[in-house]
Amino acid sequence: MISVRDLTKRYGRTTAVAGLTFDLRPGVVTGFLGPNGAGKSTTMRMILGLDAPTSGSVTIHGKPYRDLPAPIHEVGALLDAKAVHGARTARTHLRWIARAGGVPRTRVDEVLDIVGLTSVANARIATFSLGMHQRLGIATALLGDPPVLLLDEPVNGLDPEGVHWLRTLLRDLAAEGRAVLVSSHLMNEMAETAEHVLVIGRGELIADLPIDEFTQRGARGHVRVVAPRLAELSTVLKHAGGAVTRRPEGALEVIGLDAARIGDLALEYRIGLHELTPVHAGLEAAFLELTRGSVQYRAHRGER
Ligand SMILES: Nc1ncnc2c1ncn2[C@@H]1O[C@H](COP(=O)(O)OP(=O)(O)OP(=O)(O)O)[C@@H](O)[C@H]1O
Ligand SMILES: [Mg+2]
């Protein structure tokens, strides 16, 4: 569907995208993750032909975007939800895009309905909140009913109901066989939405894998243990090869031994357990671990 090959973009001395290669899969939501400035938006712009690559290539169904005979029916995109004319109404905005792309007028009301903007279809866009802009942008992307969707941070500005709605919508669109690429730096949100992740840092590909594998590979989980004879248990676990940290609240965090092994050891040494909880690292931790070396804009504590 979308094939990115050795894609590179330099702006003067800044390398925004450095030799990216990936394929976008149909039928799944792919999360496009990376810290601020990682090159997510630049990559999306190059896919859409809005920016010329310094080297490398991007094709959609085997062709560069500009050679697509009916782009609105092939790729739907939301890059910047605010880049719309505020004096137009939602309906007139969608109508001119539909007209330009040869999309029937009736589709406009359909997409307004899908994104929940029917009641404000005749309101001027200037009066819209950020979340309403996002919804309008998604409506625009859906106009041509395309098999590929590229959405740059669509969750930004949505309320919790909106986040839930978008998550369901994206999953449904993917289930119909579409390829959906969604960028975000909200890792936990992505964990709920995406089945596959592409992680980039400083323009380079860091990971291209199913989300489960990503969470497992990125950071190890630990087991939290509470027991009345904590010091004794700690010694036993260390002997068995666990890395044990004592938490101030009176629990142990154990890495390297799973919950079953810890439970068996406690039984063997007749040490009572009050809590034995596997704690999974989660996507947030995996992301931080993977992109640690590639975060460009970091807050420096204690510096002014
Ligand atoms: N038009 C431009 N001119 C010069 N530099 C640019 C331009 N566009 C992007 N860059 C630089 O390219 C790098 C990647 O930017 P990009 O916007 O693609 O990152 P991003 O992953 O989308 O970040 P964010 O999460 O903040 O949206 C940054 O260092 C940015 O400053
Ligand atoms: Mg961006």
Side-chain angles (χ1 to χ4, degrees):
M1 284 211 156
I2 289 194
S3 156
V4 171
R5 289 292 170 273
D6 214 11
L7 195 64
T8 298
K9 178 70 185 179
R10 284 190 209 95
Y11 293 107
R13 291 168 58 194
T14 309
T15 301
V17 175
L20 269 193
T21 294
F22 65 84
D23 287 300
L24 198 57
R25 292 164 180 75
V28 293
V29 178
T30 300
F32 196 22
L33 309 178
N36 291 135
K40 304 180 293 294
S41 300
T42 305
T43 303
M44 287 181 156
R45 282 202 306 274
M46 287 193 283
I47 295 174
L48 295 163
L50 295 171
D51 243 341
T54 307
S55 61
S57 68
V58 191
T59 54
I60 302 166
H61 301 128
K63 292 186 182 134
Y65 184 89
R66 64 174 175 280
D67 293 341
L68 295 175
I72 197 169
H73 296 291
E74 312 225 28
V75 193
L78 165 60
L79 289 194
D80 180 357
K82 290 275 187 178
V84 283
H85 199 302
R88 294 204 179 96
T89 69
R91 187 173 273 128
T92 50
H93 171 73
L94 290 168
R95 274 194 183 158
W96 81 256
I97 297 173
R99 182 144 190 194
V103 171
R105 237 174 128 102
T106 49
R107 177 70 180 157
V108 167
D109 284 330
E110 268 172 43
V111 296
L112 282 168
D113 190 45
I114 293 172
V115 303
L117 289 180
T118 304
S119 64
V120 289
N122 294 323
R124 287 189 327 127
I125 298 169
T127 64
F128 279 14
S129 68
L130 176 56
M132 289 159 82
H133 273 93
Q134 294 284 31
R135 286 170 187 260
L136 180 62
I138 293 160
T140 312
L142 293 175
L143 263 181
D145 202 16
V148 178
L149 285 162
L150 305 178
L151 309 173
D152 197 3
E153 314 251 2
V155 172
N156 190 10
L158 292 181
D159 55 24
E161 188 276 331
V163 172
H164 180 76
W165 159 77
L166 182 64
R167 184 186 300 156
T168 314
L169 176 71
L170 296 180
R171 286 224 201 103
D172 289 351
L173 291 166
E176 291 166 9
R178 291 170 225 262
V180 182
L181 183 68
V182 193
S183 78
S184 179
H185 32 237
L186 297 172
M187 299 311 125
N188 292 330
E189 171 47 37
M190 272 301 111
E192 306 277 324
T193 314
E195 281 171 68
H196 196 92
V197 281
L198 290 169
V199 185
I200 61 171
R202 290 185 185 258
E204 287 179 43
L205 192 69
I206 297 176
D208 178 354
L209 27 142
I211 201 140
D212 300 341
E213 218 174 292
F214 174 61
T215 356
Q216 280 161 19
R217 196 185 286 191
R220 286 190 294 174
H222 65 268
V223 182
R224 182 184 149 86
V225 190
V226 179
R229 285 150 59 198
L230 213 55
E232 211 179 318
L233 180 63
S234 174
T235 312
V236 169
L237 297 177
K238 281 180 193 158
H239 275 297
V244 183
T245 316
R246 192 162 177 161
R247 305 282 312 156
E249 74 274 11
L252 299 179
E253 268 183 22
V254 186
I255 295 173
L257 299 174
D258 64 10
R261 178 92 178 103
I262 295 169
D264 289 348
L265 284 164
L267 178 66
E268 193 179 319
Y269 288 85
R270 306 194 64 76
I271 299 172
L273 292 182
H274 288 184
E275 188 185 327
L276 181 63
T277 317
V279 180
H280 298 292
L283 195 54
E284 195 84 49
F287 177 75
L288 289 173
E289 179 104 10
L290 274 171
T291 58
R292 187 178 293 156
S294 61
V295 173
Q296 220 169 336
Y297 307 103
R298 196 192 299 274
H300 291 282
R301 240 178 264 158
E303 277 180 27
R304 300 217 60 179

